Amino acid sequence: LLWGIVACSGSIWYNLIMHQLTSSDRRAQANLSCSIGLIVLLLSGPISAQDTAGTLAALPSVAEPDGSLSLLYNPSGLSTLSGWELRLVNTQLDNRIGEGTSAFVGVPVYGPLALGTGFEYLRPHNGPSHFRFSMGAAVQATDFLHLGLGYHYLASDDRDGLDGTHSLDLGIILRPTWWFSLGITAQDLNTPKIDGTVQPRVYGIGAAFRPGTDKVALEIGARIEEDDADVQAVARLRTMLVDGFEIGLRTALAPRKGDVAVDLGVSLGFHFGAASLETAVFTSRLAGADMGFDGFSVGLRFGRQPLGRLIKRGNKAVVVPLGVLPEEPKEGILGGRNAVFLDVVRYLDRLSDDEYVSAVIIRDTGSLPGWAQAEELRERLLALKASGKYVVAYLDQGDIRHLYLYSAADRIVLNPAGGLRLTGLKSVVTYYKQALDYLRITTQWIRQAEYKSAPESFFREGPSQPASEAKEALLESLWNTLASGIETARNLPKGSMAKIVDDGPYLASECKRLGLVDDLAFYDELVNVVTKSSGRAIRIGAPTGRTTARKEWAPDDAIAVIVVEGTIVDGKSRRVPVLGTKNVGGKSIVAAIELAVRDSRYRGILVRVNSPGGSSFASDAMHRALQVAAKQKPVVVSFGSVAASGGYYLAMGGQEVFASDTSVTGSIGVFIGKPAFNRLFQWAGIGRHLTKRGKKADLFGIDTPWTESELSFLQEKVKAFYDLFVSRVADNRKMTQEAVDKVARGRVWLGREARQHGLVDQRGGVLEALQRVKVLAGIDPSAPVRTVFLPKANLTQRIKNTLGLNIAALLQAHPNIRDSLAVAFPFLVGFKPGEALALMPYHLSFE
């Protein structure tokens, strides 16, 4: 009956909160509930101790259990941990609970799963000392439902009836909104026997509320013993109005023979980042007696994530390691994910507002940013300097992109054993015509228009005039951006970079002599170098910031981030471990877009494109999905290092497009093609006989080349695809099709030129695009917002990510072989025969 009442009540609460209340109504409901709760706080009662009970640590809670201490009161609270945690607690009480010394550990292990364990040495006043071993497991079943199971084993040398006792606890937490949490527990679920006496099940229920802020939580609830229906009321208040200083109040009352027994507890928490000191004092009044001091508890907490920082010291230098900068996260089997480029730029942006940080040290650990990434990171360093931070970049060695990036810092420090590989810029395109002729393979290609040079690798021995023109223009624009940026930032004479690069590469000492870097030092000497150069007593420390150890009661409103990275194919996305590349599937991205639209928690959609294009059909499907989504939620597209052809096509479904000056984009064009192996078959003595029905049944077959009539027929189809592409751009850009065609025709542009031609809206990277989504969604630009990457990895993908199978590392020593395989692979397994491709010369790269 009790569980039925609880289930019905929970269902009513859920429907009321999730489906009937507006945002403002929810806040009003929270304030009303908390006002009622404050009245109930004055009418609450104690919790009596069970023979199977453990340590009284801090202030017990059912609806808001605290980290690894959840094993004591509600095991489902383990799943609210966002990092490992160790708690050490010693309690001394004068009541029957007595003294206890304990240690608890909790850790998230895989996705929504968390585990915990505890060891307690208990010394009750009414019985012999004994040990209690605890294990618990909890899972966050949904975004708002947590389930937990706790197991306890009691061992005693002095009490046979207690020794070997097993106890089982069950816990549930329901958190449908950010301001309401409902907890339910059943302790001693297996009704263990101690000295022949059955221990009754004990049920607990608690409802916690936040009155308009997550710094205050009020909980009201009850505890019920199954056999004698002994009902006790409980109330608890927790506040952290000052970061790092937590105060808790708890009261409980129980009617006893016409009188009332009262328990009161007060706790203080002092949080110093990864470590905390937690204390509590307890008083009680038995029925018919006076209120008196009952005892205290003291504990230490250590954890990967802070609960706050009471002491914040200035003149702090924060070290930001900069290594691999993926656009898309990889989720591991044990939960969590790697940091991605968006995380890095958001982190640097937050440091600008941290008043306790005076210096930022960028520790380059072998980064290889794309050109657009390097440009955006450079903008972040300039913003840090503008906010008054002293910015230092430390690198062991680098190339021209590192010099461009770190020239924005106040100081560049180079390893004395390193250097800068300044040799210029190059772009290499591989041509296969002679190899294919040698193999007696004929390829035919139909393209629209003359700048659509991707197929030239297969039927020419070198670039055509339009292809050469476009590549030269790109290279010149990129060079001018890098050279002028470095010269200005490093106070070098205008035009001097040309000679500097021609005379490179350079050893560390030569770099300093030329003024390319400021200091030569080993990393262990860096603090002294920074202190001396900045004139401040710098110390290395962690940044202050938002408390992250306790998960939010319910997921905040978020921005959905969808990364389109890799060659676009129809179907589902899949990685190619051998090449370290990815084919991004249209169906996977469309499903992610539709989910972001359906889920009311996602206030807007940010699409990050880092793709050279591919299947025109898949690109059009993604374009349509974004177009539909933009009618319901803000959709902003951000271009990474490459967003061309099909990558540009799909972006035309968004409301606004952001691109860095060095983003490669455009390539508005289409082509189709096929190989013919008839000469190879004849040379190898292979006979093939074709039987068909339908004049064009073998149109995309590999036996014979296309005839002139077939070429003419297919040219019309390619032209139709091209016209569709142009119309999509014209509709989005508010341009005429004639105006689009003038800057289209397969030509590739850098972001600066694309913006001048009206192909993109704004200059900016992924951070600026995210800010624009917030503005369009009505979110305060200065307010923190949660970002969720879609689609989420399934179990198979998590296992692959954890194993880290990436043979691409073995191919780094042979880049020509690697690049050639990367070119060929999509044509072998990613594209359908005769499929129209919106693909730039994606093997075009500048190094």
Side-chain angles (χ1 to χ4, degrees):
L1 176 63
L2 172 65
W3 284 101
I5 294 172
V6 169
C8 292
S9 301
S11 176
I12 293 171
W13 266 102
Y14 175 77
N15 283 281
L16 176 67
I17 293 169
M18 298 300 291
H19 301 295
Q20 296 182 11
L21 299 181
T22 64
S23 178
S24 59
D25 291 336
R26 295 180 194 179
R27 204 170 280 267
Q29 177 71 33
N31 290 321
L32 175 60
S33 300
C34 288
S35 299
I36 296 173
L38 286 172
I39 298 173
V40 176
L41 178 64
L42 302 177
L43 304 172
S44 305
I47 296 180
S48 62
Q50 306 149 250
D51 285 340
T52 57
T55 306
L56 179 60
L59 302 183
S61 173
V62 175
E64 196 190 18
D66 194 4
S68 56
L69 295 182
S70 301
L71 280 168
L72 292 170
Y73 311 120
N74 186 344
S76 61
L78 288 170
S79 62
T80 66
L81 282 168
S82 58
W84 68 265
E85 180 183 87
L86 169 65
R87 302 290 263 279
L88 304 174
V89 182
N90 188 69
T91 301
Q92 295 189 12
L93 297 176
D94 293 333
N95 59 29
R96 61 175 296 196
I97 296 177
E99 300 177 4
T101 303
S102 55
F104 297 93
V105 177
V107 59
V109 292
Y110 163 62
L113 175 66
L115 300 178
T117 186
F119 173 80
E120 300 167 83
Y121 176 45
L122 305 173
R123 304 175 294 280
H125 290 308
N126 62 343
S129 300
H130 60 277
F131 297 95
R132 192 173 87 143
F133 303 93
S134 302
M135 293 185 296
V139 62
Q140 185 171 352
T142 69
D143 286 334
F144 56 85
L145 178 62
H146 304 257
L147 304 173
L149 189 66
Y151 168 78
H152 310 284
Y153 176 80
L154 277 65
S156 175
D157 294 333
D158 301 322
R159 186 176 175 186
D160 293 338
L162 188 69
D163 188 54
T165 299
H166 303 267
S167 174
L168 197 64
D169 298 343
L170 178 68
I172 299 173
I173 296 176
L174 179 68
R175 292 176 169 175
T177 74
W178 67 270
W179 57 264
F180 175 71
S181 177
L182 177 67
I184 303 171
T185 63
Q187 296 179 318
D188 290 343
L189 197 62
N190 59 325
T191 60
K193 286 185 178 181
I194 298 179
D195 294 331
T197 302
V198 174
Q199 302 298 304
R201 297 184 181 95
V202 178
Y203 302 103
I205 184 169
F209 307 88
R210 287 175 172 171
T213 174
D214 61 1
K215 297 180 181 298
V216 178
L218 172 68
E219 179 179 350
I220 56 175
R223 179 181 183 273
I224 306 170
E225 289 191 8
E226 188 174 63
D227 289 350
D228 59 8
D230 182 10
V231 179
Q232 303 159 344
V234 182
R236 179 175 180 268
L237 178 68
R238 181 185 62 81
T239 67
M240 193 188 292
L241 299 178
V242 176
D243 187 32
F245 179 55
E246 193 167 37
I247 302 175
L249 301 173
R250 177 181 170 276
T251 183
L253 70 80
R256 294 289 186 274
K257 298 178 181 181
D259 203 346
V260 177
V262 180
D263 283 353
L264 293 176
V266 179
S267 69
L268 298 177
F270 305 90
H271 305 298
F272 307 98
S276 301
L277 172 64
E278 299 168 319
T279 64
V281 294
F282 306 97
T283 61
S284 65
R285 174 187 180 275
L286 299 177
D290 296 329
M291 184 73 71
F293 177 73
D294 216 18
F296 67 92
S297 72
V298 61
L300 295 175
R301 175 194 176 274
F302 304 93
R304 181 172 179 268
Q305 300 288 354
L307 286 174
R309 288 185 176 85
L310 183 60
I311 299 176
K312 302 181 179 70
R313 298 168 59 190
N315 271 354
K316 184 187 301 182
V318 174
V319 178
V320 182
L322 207 60
V324 179
L325 297 169
E327 295 284 356
E328 190 174 18
K330 291 183 180 180
E331 300 172 277
I333 191 172
L334 298 180
R337 64 171 178 82
N338 60 312
V340 297
F341 181 70
L342 177 58
D343 298 327
V344 174
V345 293
R346 293 186 75 188
Y347 180 68
L348 293 174
D349 185 56
R350 288 196 297 270
L351 289 178
S352 296
D353 298 325
D354 194 328
E355 60 181 317
Y356 299 98
V357 172
S358 58
V360 177
I361 298 172
I362 307 297
R363 171 67 164 105
D364 192 287
T365 58
S367 67
L368 285 175
W371 290 111
Q373 289 183 331
E375 181 182 344
E376 184 166 3
L377 286 169
R378 193 174 192 272
E379 294 294 326
R380 290 300 98 218
L381 300 190
L382 291 172
L384 283 168
K385 288 171 60 177
S387 69
K389 314 300 182 191
Y390 189 71
V391 181
V392 178
Y394 182 89
L395 67 161
D396 295 314
Q397 55 186 344
D399 56 26
I400 193 170
R401 82 185 71 198
H402 296 100
L403 183 57
Y404 169 69
L405 163 57
Y406 296 130
S407 64
D410 289 293
R411 209 160 190 87
I412 301 177
V413 183
L414 182 63
N415 190 313
L420 292 177
R421 300 183 301 275
L422 301 185
T423 57
L425 293 176
K426 70 173 183 179
S427 172
V428 179
V429 180
T430 305
Y431 294 87
Y432 306 97
K433 182 180 184 304
Q434 288 187 351
L436 293 173
D437 288 344
Y438 177 78
L439 295 173
R440 295 174 172 80
I441 298 174
T442 302
T443 64
Q444 292 175 295
W445 304 90
I446 303 169
R447 53 179 173 161
Q448 187 76 27
E450 67 273 15
Y451 289 101
K452 200 67 182 176
S453 58
E456 290 185 0
S457 291
F458 299 94
F459 70 88
R460 292 183 61 92
E461 297 178 6
S464 64
Q465 188 278 328
S468 180
E469 173 192 342
K471 189 167 68 170
E472 287 289 341
L474 284 174
L475 195 61
E476 182 67 16
S477 180
L478 180 59
W479 168 258
N480 290 336
T481 297
L482 301 180
S484 62
I486 295 171
E487 289 167 357
T488 301
R490 298 299 304 171
N491 294 317
L492 299 173
K494 187 175 181 180
S496 61
M497 275 303 297
K499 186 177 188 310
I500 290 175
V501 167
D502 287 343
D503 292 342
Y506 297 102
L507 299 175
S509 58
E510 296 172 317
C511 293
K512 184 176 181 181
R513 176 174 55 80
L514 291 170
L516 301 177
V517 301
D518 299 288
D519 299 289
L520 304 181
F522 294 103
Y523 186 67
D524 55 61
E525 302 173 311
L526 188 58
V527 173
N528 292 333
V529 172
V530 176
T531 299
K532 182 178 179 181
S533 61
S534 66
R536 311 172 189 175
I538 296 297
R539 59 184 183 82
I540 303 297
T544 56
R546 184 177 176 82
T547 299
T548 55
R550 294 189 180 109
K551 290 184 180 179
E552 292 297 324
W553 282 6
D556 297 331
D557 289 339
I559 303 297
V561 181
I562 299 174
V563 178
V564 181
E565 186 171 41
T567 304
I568 297 171
V569 298
D570 193 19
K572 295 184 178 180
S573 301
R574 62 173 176 168
R575 295 187 181 275
V576 189
V578 173
L579 303 177
T581 60
K582 177 187 175 184
N583 287 346
V584 56
K587 289 184 179 178
S588 297
I589 298 300
V590 169
I593 296 169
E594 293 174 345
L595 173 62
V597 173
R598 289 194 309 270
D599 196 323
S600 60
R601 292 170 301 171
Y602 299 126
R603 299 279 299 276
I605 302 172
L606 171 62
V607 182
R608 177 69 165 177
V609 181
N610 194 39
S611 169
S615 166
S616 62
F617 176 80
S619 300
D620 190 71
M622 289 184 281
H623 166 274
R624 176 59 181 169
L626 290 177
Q627 194 176 52
V628 172
K631 296 178 181 178
Q632 303 177 61
K633 295 182 178 181
V635 178
V636 176
V637 182
S638 168
F639 286 171
S641 295
V642 179
S645 205
Y648 182 80
Y649 188 128
L650 70 92
M652 295 299 97
Q655 292 172 263
E656 296 183 18
V657 178
F658 284 70
S660 299
D661 283 345
T662 53
S663 296
V664 176
T665 186
S667 192
I668 302 169
V670 184
F671 68 89
I672 62 173
K674 77 166 188 174
F677 295 92
N678 56 312
R679 291 191 300 142
L680 175 61
F681 292 152
Q682 292 172 5
W683 175 79
I686 298 174
R688 288 167 60 86
H689 178 73
L690 172 67
T691 303
K692 65 178 182 178
R693 294 293 185 274
K695 182 179 179 181
K696 296 186 178 67
D698 195 38
L699 183 64
F700 299 110
I702 63 172
D703 290 275
T704 58
W706 285 318
T707 64
E708 289 300 323
S709 62
E710 288 173 333
L711 287 169
S712 178
F713 171 78
L714 291 172
Q715 184 68 58
E716 295 177 3
K717 303 299 181 183
V718 171
K719 179 63 165 60
F721 276 117
Y722 175 76
D723 291 341
L724 178 64
F725 195 163
V726 169
S727 69
R728 298 285 194 238
V729 177
D731 291 343
N732 183 273
R733 299 286 88 204
K734 304 298 185 290
M735 300 167 61
T736 65
Q737 293 192 28
E738 292 75 17
V740 173
D741 181 65
K742 289 181 180 179
V743 294
R745 310 195 65 78
R747 179 150 186 176
V748 180
W749 306 95
L750 285 186
R752 181 189 295 105
E753 288 75 24
R755 189 169 63 254
Q756 294 170 353
H757 293 305
L759 296 179
V760 299
D761 295 292
Q762 300 287 340
R763 178 184 183 271
V766 65
L767 186 62
E768 286 79 10
L770 177 62
Q771 290 294 94
R772 184 56 180 164
V773 176
K774 291 168 65 176
V775 170
L776 294 175
I779 301 173
D780 183 355
S782 62
V785 67
R786 193 167 57 101
T787 54
V788 178
F789 284 83
L790 299 177
K792 295 183 178 179
N794 57 33
L795 180 58
T796 301
Q797 291 169 330
R798 287 175 180 267
I799 293 173
K800 289 180 179 179
N801 293 340
T802 302
L803 293 176
L805 181 61
N806 190 353
I807 306 175
L810 300 177
L811 297 174
Q812 292 298 324
H814 306 284
N816 291 333
I817 297 176
R818 178 200 61 204
D819 295 344
S820 298
L821 289 173
V823 168
F825 188 82
F827 288 94
L828 297 175
V829 300
F831 302 138
K832 297 179 175 63
E835 185 175 13
L837 301 178
L839 185 68
M840 69 165 287
Y842 67 100
H843 48 287
L844 173 66
S845 63
F846 298 106
E847 302 173 354

